[in-house]
Amino acid sequence: MSLQQSDGDRSLLIRVEEQPGGEAAQTHAADQVRAVVAAEAPDASFERVEIVGPRVSAELAIAGILAVGAASLAMLIYIWARFDWPFAVGAIATLVLDITKTVGFFTLTGLDFGLTAIAALLTLIGYSVNDKVVVYDRMRENIGLHPTMPLRELIDLSINQTLARSLYTSITALVAMLPMAIWGGMAVQSFAIPMVFGIVIAAGSSVFIAAPILLFLGDWRSRMSAIAPATAAERSLT
């Protein structure tokens, strides 16, 4: 059995290990815990009691992985169609980093990973990709406006032009999520707290990770384009 305080000192999360004997044994253990708590603190109220067996946990994990994978694939197709494949690869690679960091945050903090947590991950996917699309869209516009500008300078220009907008959007989202994370209680903590962490991570990755990946892929494509004519010329001479 493990105890975890939440919502200050007003709430307590009690976790009990799986009991041998199936669902009936789990229910009996939950009833015993409820009786002990009621005897020690008659004024205590129970917000909810959840019994999750190994089969349900496996189904939940598979459903979560499929949902996150499907959302990421849809984003990849959209960005590839609207922009170009380097943008899609950069966005998805950064998105994978954002999601894995958030999952690691769940592990380190011990927050419940349930349906609410999956909803937080899916929401974070949409927020993270939207933040990167704003920067990428400005890069695409600047490519047309400054066709001779080096890619490194063009990326730097685009980030500077969208930095204020990205910061204002992130701050607004944080202002909305922080009260829920601090005073929302157990009902919304597994959604609001990861969202606060994810918003900060997504804002930083849009500038410090997504742009360098795009720069690397753009330079790689330029080198491949330069090598291709030279290779063709050598073949024609031979």
Side-chain angles (χ1 to χ4, degrees):
M1 178 183 296
S2 63
L3 305 178
Q4 177 183 341
Q5 290 185 345
S6 63
D7 195 14
D9 296 331
R10 296 179 297 176
S11 299
L12 187 67
L13 175 63
I14 303 175
R15 290 191 178 94
V16 181
E17 295 181 355
E18 179 187 0
Q19 304 296 312
E23 186 175 350
Q26 309 291 342
T27 304
H28 179 66
D31 292 338
Q32 286 184 321
V33 172
R34 185 194 293 267
V36 172
V37 173
E40 296 292 333
D43 296 334
S45 60
F46 296 87
E47 295 186 7
R48 69 181 189 271
V49 177
E50 296 181 354
I51 300 175
V52 180
R55 185 175 64 84
V56 177
S57 298
E59 292 177 355
L60 181 62
I62 293 174
I65 293 173
L66 291 177
V68 173
S72 301
L73 180 61
M75 296 295 181
L76 173 66
I77 295 173
Y78 166 74
I79 297 174
W80 196 319
R82 182 173 178 181
F83 296 96
D84 201 354
W85 71 264
F87 292 91
V89 173
I92 296 302
T94 312
L95 180 62
V96 170
L97 291 175
D98 293 344
I99 296 302
T100 52
K101 289 176 184 177
T102 306
V103 172
F105 178 77
F106 274 101
T107 304
L108 292 175
T109 57
L111 289 173
D112 284 338
F113 192 86
L115 294 177
T116 307
I118 294 175
L121 289 179
L122 294 176
T123 305
L124 181 60
I125 287 176
Y127 177 86
S128 178
V129 171
N130 176 74
D131 198 36
K132 291 160 184 57
V133 165
V134 169
V135 180
Y136 283 172
D137 192 58
R138 183 55 59 90
M139 291 180 185
R140 185 180 62 174
E141 292 178 359
N142 286 332
I143 289 175
L145 294 174
H146 310 284
T148 59
M149 179 180 291
L151 182 59
R152 183 182 297 272
E153 297 179 9
L154 189 141
I155 291 176
D156 185 60
L157 174 64
S158 302
I159 291 175
N160 289 331
Q161 290 176 342
T162 58
L163 185 60
R165 177 180 176 182
S166 298
L167 286 177
Y168 292 153
T169 302
S170 300
I171 292 173
T172 302
L174 282 175
V175 169
M177 284 294 169
L178 277 176
M180 298 173 60
I182 298 173
W183 299 293
M186 295 176 59
V188 296
Q189 276 187 341
S190 58
F191 178 84
I193 294 178
M195 280 299 300
V196 170
F197 175 81
I199 288 170
V200 175
I201 292 298
S205 65
S206 298
V207 176
F208 299 109
I209 299 179
I213 290 177
L214 183 62
L215 177 63
F216 170 77
L217 293 175
D219 288 345
W220 174 81
R221 187 168 59 170
S222 299
R223 290 195 299 269
M224 291 299 100
S225 299
I227 292 174
T231 304
E234 291 177 359
R235 290 178 178 177
S236 61
L237 290 175
T238 56

